[in-house]
Amino acid sequence: MKKWLIVLFCWLPLFAHASDVLKLDWLDLIPEKEREQFSQNTMPLLRHDGDAARQTMIGGVRNELNGSKVKIPGFVIPLEGDDKVVTEFLLVPYFGACIHVPPPPPNQIIYVKFEKGAPIQELWDVVYVVGTLQTQHISHDMAEVGYLLQGMALEEYDDM
């Protein structure tokens, strides 16, 4: 009996963590070496060279997050869908990102795909997106993106 209890307690944590969702903030998507730029109380500099506006931040991704089931809040910029559902969109940390130049760095934009579509009520509302995160570079007309998220659910945002 003791043997079975030991086996049960050894395997139980593995099953408990299998369904865990990692709740992320946008800062969590930035590699540690790039985060140091923010800890010095300085904002990244913006550069405007000719027609292309870009930030001096590198915008690297955190490869250790690849394949993680995550939940992250953000604003939706629809790319594919209709007036009721959206199947592909950019998730960004603040309202108006990617619409105004320059866009955020690639590690601050997530390309989200919902196979069956996700309902979107108001574009100025913050939502949580739950899904599987992949570190994948995507070049889009609106911005360079560092992450792809296979969306599973949209949830109402709460700041608790």
Side-chain angles (χ1 to χ4, degrees):
M1 180 69 170
K2 212 184 238 187
K3 186 177 182 181
W4 286 109
L5 286 174
I6 291 171
V7 170
L8 178 66
F9 285 115
C10 289
W11 285 96
L12 192 60
L14 296 176
F15 293 115
H17 291 292
S19 64
D20 283 350
V21 175
L22 183 61
K23 190 172 178 183
L24 296 178
D25 193 341
W26 287 92
L27 195 59
D28 296 327
L29 299 177
I30 302 172
E32 189 66 38
K33 64 183 177 185
E34 291 180 31
R35 266 190 251 167
E36 293 170 4
Q37 295 180 32
F38 295 105
S39 64
Q40 299 170 359
N41 292 333
T42 59
M43 290 298 292
L45 298 174
L46 298 179
R47 290 183 19 178
H48 299 275
D49 296 279
D51 294 333
R54 58 190 165 109
Q55 292 198 2
T56 58
M57 289 185 68
I58 298 169
V61 296
R62 290 187 52 204
N63 290 318
E64 65 271 20
L65 293 174
N66 196 30
S68 299
K69 188 173 177 185
V70 301
K71 176 178 179 177
I72 187 165
F75 292 91
V76 172
I77 299 175
L79 300 174
E80 298 287 332
D82 56 31
D83 62 338
K84 294 184 176 123
V85 296
V86 63
T87 56
E88 295 183 17
F89 59 88
L90 297 179
L91 188 71
V92 294
Y94 55 89
F95 182 75
C98 293
I99 296 171
H100 306 289
V101 283
N107 59 22
Q108 295 295 285
I109 305 171
I110 301 173
Y111 196 103
V112 180
K113 291 185 178 185
F114 270 88
E115 188 175 319
K116 296 180 181 178
I120 298 295
Q121 288 80 29
E122 302 294 342
L123 295 179
W124 51 83
D125 289 342
V126 179
V127 294
Y128 278 116
V129 180
V130 180
T132 304
L133 190 68
Q134 299 170 342
T135 54
Q136 181 176 339
H137 180 264
I138 298 172
S139 185
H140 190 273
D141 292 343
M142 296 184 87
E144 297 295 315
V145 179
Y147 293 99
L148 171 67
L149 191 129
Q150 295 296 329
M152 298 187 305
L154 277 183
E155 298 178 4
E156 190 174 318
Y157 176 76
D158 63 9
D159 57 354
M160 301 290 170

